Amino acid sequence: MSSDTPRVLSIQSHVVHGYVGNKSAVFPLQVLGFEVDFINTVQFSTHTAYKHIKGQSLKNEELDDLIDGLTMNEVDYYTHFLTGYSRSPDSLKKIVEILKKLREKNPNLNYVCDPVMGDNGKMYVPEDILPVYRDIVVPLADVITPNQFEAELITGMKMNSLQDALKIIEALHEKGPKTVVLSSTELGDEYCMIGIASTAGVQYQINIPKVDATFTGTGDLFASLFLAWWHKTNNNLKLTLENTISTLQIIVKDTYQKARDVQPTGKIPPQLRELRIIQNKNIIENPKITINAIELSPK
Ligand SMILES: Nc1ncnc2c1ncn2[C@@H]1O[C@H](COP(=O)(O)OP(=O)(O)O)[C@@H](O)[C@H]1O
Ligand SMILES: Cc1ncc(COP(=O)(O)O)c(C=O)c1O
Ligand SMILES: [Mg+2]
Ligand code: NA
């Protein structure tokens, strides 16, 4: 059942209102020409930065059922597999089972794993998820997209300099993934954060201008854009990083500016920080590269 159109299975959260998880990832992937099958691990009214969290979680048996249906109907051929936010070790282990099944169908399946665990020194999933990512999931991934904190958790190493970052990246490669992307680090200054991507012995750094707000769903958007451009550029790491970050910059800046039009000062509430993904469809399809990645000189 293979064809020219790449096919992704994305297992992530769904929110009724707003943009995280599949709501953040599916539209960009579709716009960029991917067939996207998606399973919603939760259905919440909103993401968790809002005051009230209401909704349902998919049970592991229910996830099994959905996969069984795909298998029985022979529509379980995928070129890509994408996973994000998971809330229990059991659900992560289920993802591993699914990954193994998908790889039986397509040994060349590309698995992009965003090991979502936390940010800025704080874990926002139960701590017993860490050993499952570290010892079971990450070793099976082709591409991982941790932020600094997640990369530190997985390796047990601290990142205080670019040199530390490169050592951590090396340690992550040793676990299995051929491509390691640090979606953001605090190695920059007050104006920029630094992203680093590494594959086949080559590393690129990209300086990401900071926007003065906290966004939710940007990590999910990052992973989906990276997956898409990695495929579309035939694994050109520089172009993939540039397209991914240039798109994110436009969306994040536009979201911030529109929020500031409504509320000129003070902390922006979550409903005004929802990513303007739909409004930037043309940018997603056709990003203008505004930020260049720089190759890091070999050690
Ligand atoms: N405050 C911000 N200013 C500018 N860009 C941001 C900001 N927050 C997120 N981004 C963009 O989103 C991407 C992913 O964010 P990151 O925080 O690394 O994801 P996560 O922590 O959810 O994995 C970054 O690479 C950056 O391009
Ligand atoms: C339900 C849900 N899924 C996913 C995320 C992940 O968002 P991000 O892309 O910012 O890591 C969040 C964050 O709050 C969430 O509430
Ligand atoms: Mg973050
Ligand atoms: Na990330």
Side-chain angles (χ1 to χ4, degrees), residues 6-261:
R7 301 177 56 83
V8 194
L9 179 65
S10 173
I11 303 189
Q12 303 197 56
S13 319
H14 171 75
V15 283
V16 177
H17 176 82
Y19 297 92
V20 296
N22 275 331
K23 277 290 284 293
S24 194
V26 173
F27 178 78
L29 283 166
Q30 289 174 330
V31 158
L32 289 169
F34 287 70
E35 244 351 309
V36 190
D37 289 1
F38 51 100
I39 294 177
N40 299 324
T41 49
V42 304
Q43 169 166 239
F44 291 162
S45 316
T46 63
H47 64 68
T48 49
Y50 287 76
K51 220 164 40 204
H52 307 281
I53 315 300
K54 302 284 275 181
Q56 301 83 34
S57 300
L58 191 70
K59 297 186 180 65
N60 274 339
E61 310 84 78
E62 294 168 334
L63 177 54
D64 271 339
D65 255 1
L66 293 175
I67 297 292
D68 281 350
L70 296 174
T71 309
M72 290 158 81
N73 289 306
E74 296 181 59
V75 288
D76 58 344
Y77 177 91
Y78 295 101
T79 57
H80 294 79
F81 185 46
L82 174 63
T83 65
Y85 189 75
S86 241
R87 294 195 322 156
S88 75
D90 279 353
S91 64
L92 259 187
K93 286 180 188 156
K94 189 52 72 185
I95 290 210
V96 170
E97 274 178 39
I98 294 168
L99 169 65
K100 287 181 175 164
K101 268 195 183 170
L102 297 181
R103 282 214 170 119
E104 279 170 26
K105 255 300 163 36
N106 178 11
N108 295 321
L109 179 92
N110 213 312
Y111 175 33
V112 177
C113 170
D114 188 9
V116 178
M117 286 185 280
D119 205 352
N120 305 311
K122 271 207 315 259
M123 273 186 95
Y124 43 62
V125 298
E127 272 178 34
D128 51 0
I129 280 220
L130 170 58
V132 186
Y133 270 122
R134 188 188 55 211
D135 304 330
I136 304 174
V137 183
V138 166
L140 294 171
D142 298 288
V143 179
I144 55 170
T145 61
N147 59 35
Q148 171 171 345
F149 179 58
E150 291 155 350
E152 289 175 336
L153 284 174
I154 295 166
T155 57
M157 294 157 75
K158 215 47 207 145
M159 194 187 301
N160 292 312
S161 65
L162 196 59
Q163 233 152 3
D164 290 347
L166 293 176
K167 279 195 196 128
I168 286 182
I169 285 172
E170 206 173 292
L172 289 168
H173 280 308
E174 273 165 19
K175 290 189 182 290
K178 288 209 167 68
T179 305
V180 172
V181 193
L182 305 181
S183 55
S184 66
T185 69
E186 292 146 39
L187 299 173
D189 53 29
E190 67 180 297
Y191 305 107
C192 86
M193 31 195 194
I194 292 179
I196 306 172
S198 168
T199 200
V202 184
Q203 282 87 35
Y204 286 94
Q205 166 180 344
I206 193 157
N207 296 344
I208 309 165
K210 270 188 200 170
V211 174
D212 185 25
T214 303
F215 299 94
T216 311
T218 42
D220 307 326
L221 180 57
F222 182 99
S224 72
L225 290 172
F226 192 93
L227 184 160
W229 287 110
W230 189 233
H231 176 78
K232 285 168 78 75
T233 64
N234 239 323
N235 304 354
N236 180 321
L237 189 60
K238 182 174 192 293
L239 273 180
T240 298
L241 199 55
E242 291 174 341
N243 280 318
T244 298
I245 294 299
S246 297
T247 304
L248 267 154
Q249 261 292 299
I250 300 263
I251 292 178
V252 157
K253 273 190 173 162
D254 181 41
T255 302
Y256 181 76
Q257 274 155 11
K258 290 293 183 302
R260 280 292 177 228
D261 289 346

